[in-house]
Amino acid sequence: MSYFGKNIRKIRNVKKLSQQAFAELFELKRGTLGAYEEERSEPRIETIIKIANHFSITIDDLLTKELTVNKLLKFKDDLALQGSFSKEEFTKIPCITPKTEADYALYFDKPHFIEDLPKLHLPINPDKKYRGYLISNLEMTNNDKAYCPKDVIIGEKVETNDITKTENGSLVIVLLHGKVLFRKFYHSSANITLQATNSNIDDLEVDPTEIKELWKVCYTFFKRLPDNHNVEIEQKLNFLEQEFMKLRQNFK
């Protein structure tokens, strides 16, 4: 009989750690930890080793003996013993990567799939829905400027009913049938145009009903430092482009 589940529950109580805090400490899901404590699941050997090493417990004691409170209080791990610190939680943002992009197009509406995506941790509003995207191509690049591979963008969720209210010229992460794209967004009375910065990529005209998800880009993390002068020029050009699109719509 293994005492692992009973012992880690006792360790948590003595160290004043919630299931979530304990799980994150050892890169586990809270539900997985709960299954260990309730003896519904057996841990991997690497998990046992991590926990034993962290608290300076022998693996034999952790698995084969019911640990006493007195013994637990002698374990190292000063941080947990203090019990008075306040742990700051950053917002966790699921991120689409080149490896997960194809599967995302299939399983974007499956909570368990979203939960398993890599996470970005940022100090931003936790009440909003975000999606990260790791750029892997040159479709939004012009002469090595703007967005390049390895840059990361963060988009805020645009609800289906509000897609056509998105401002022209906005940068968006968009999910269509079978693919995820990073584009500039323009809309007219009938269709939506998704435009790449790279002049070799044709504009894509789509019906609003074809869009399964839309995330308006609100944060960008460049792998390299951008040239401030070029950024200012790009912003001005983007403004002029938006104004031109408005004029073109007025003359239709």
Side-chain angles (χ1 to χ4, degrees):
M1 175 183 174
S2 171
Y3 286 88
F4 180 78
K6 186 177 292 185
N7 283 335
I8 60 174
R9 184 165 61 249
K10 188 173 288 186
I11 290 170
R12 280 201 309 101
N13 291 335
V14 170
K15 306 299 184 181
K16 294 182 173 59
L17 292 170
S18 66
Q19 274 194 341
Q20 184 66 38
F22 193 96
E24 289 180 357
L25 190 60
F26 299 103
E27 299 178 340
L28 300 171
K29 293 182 179 178
R30 190 191 62 75
T32 301
L33 180 65
Y36 293 161
E37 292 188 359
E38 296 167 12
E39 300 180 4
R40 292 184 286 105
S41 178
E42 291 296 326
R44 296 179 179 178
I45 184 62
E46 54 264 35
T47 300
I48 296 171
I49 293 171
K50 279 183 183 178
I51 294 174
N53 287 342
H54 183 85
F55 293 107
S56 299
I57 312 171
T58 67
I59 293 175
D60 183 60
D61 282 350
L62 186 60
L63 296 178
T64 65
K65 299 176 183 177
E66 185 171 351
L67 299 171
T68 65
V69 172
N70 286 338
K71 191 166 186 177
L72 285 172
L73 290 172
K74 294 177 183 177
F75 293 155
K76 296 175 183 177
D77 184 30
D78 295 335
L79 184 63
L81 279 171
Q82 291 172 12
S84 58
F85 70 95
S86 177
K87 184 176 179 182
E88 184 175 3
E89 295 285 348
F90 282 4
T91 300
K92 297 178 184 178
I93 303 168
C95 185
I96 305 166
T97 67
K99 289 183 179 180
T100 61
E101 190 168 321
D103 286 337
Y104 186 88
L106 297 173
Y107 306 118
F108 69 97
D109 56 349
K110 307 296 183 187
H112 68 275
F113 174 78
I114 300 301
E115 178 61 31
D116 287 339
L117 286 175
K119 302 293 191 301
L120 302 169
H121 295 72
L122 296 174
I124 56 180
N125 189 343
D127 297 324
K128 294 185 178 180
K129 297 178 182 178
Y130 299 98
R131 191 70 77 241
Y133 183 72
L134 176 61
I135 298 172
S136 61
N137 55 52
L138 298 172
E139 295 178 351
M140 292 298 286
T141 306
N142 183 16
N143 297 325
D144 294 328
K145 298 173 184 176
Y147 298 89
C148 299
K150 303 299 183 183
D151 290 346
V152 176
I153 54 175
I154 308 292
E156 183 180 331
K157 181 71 178 289
V158 177
E159 299 299 335
T160 304
N161 294 338
D162 295 328
I163 285 177
T164 55
K165 299 177 184 177
T166 304
E167 299 89 346
N168 282 331
S170 296
L171 293 168
V172 297
I173 304 164
V174 58
L175 174 62
L176 300 172
H177 297 289
K179 56 187 173 183
V180 181
L181 297 173
F182 170 41
R183 290 287 189 272
K184 283 186 179 179
F185 177 98
Y186 297 95
H187 65 87
S188 61
S189 56
N191 290 323
I192 288 173
T193 301
L194 300 172
Q195 185 182 90
T197 303
N198 190 322
S199 58
N200 294 317
I201 307 296
D202 292 334
D203 291 353
L204 184 61
E205 300 282 342
V206 299
D207 187 277
T209 58
E210 296 180 59
I211 296 178
K212 295 187 175 183
E213 282 189 339
L214 190 77
W215 306 83
K216 183 179 176 182
V217 175
C218 49
Y219 301 100
T220 301
F221 298 90
F222 293 106
K223 187 186 177 189
R224 77 274 175 245
L225 288 173
D227 184 321
N228 287 335
H229 178 65
N230 287 333
V231 170
E232 289 177 7
I233 292 175
E234 295 247 350
Q235 289 174 341
K236 291 176 182 178
L237 288 174
N238 185 49
F239 172 76
L240 291 173
E241 190 173 20
Q242 292 182 44
E243 293 302 307
F244 174 75
M245 288 293 294
K246 290 177 183 178
L247 289 173
R248 193 169 74 175
Q249 289 178 30
N250 290 335
F251 283 104
K252 282 185 177 181

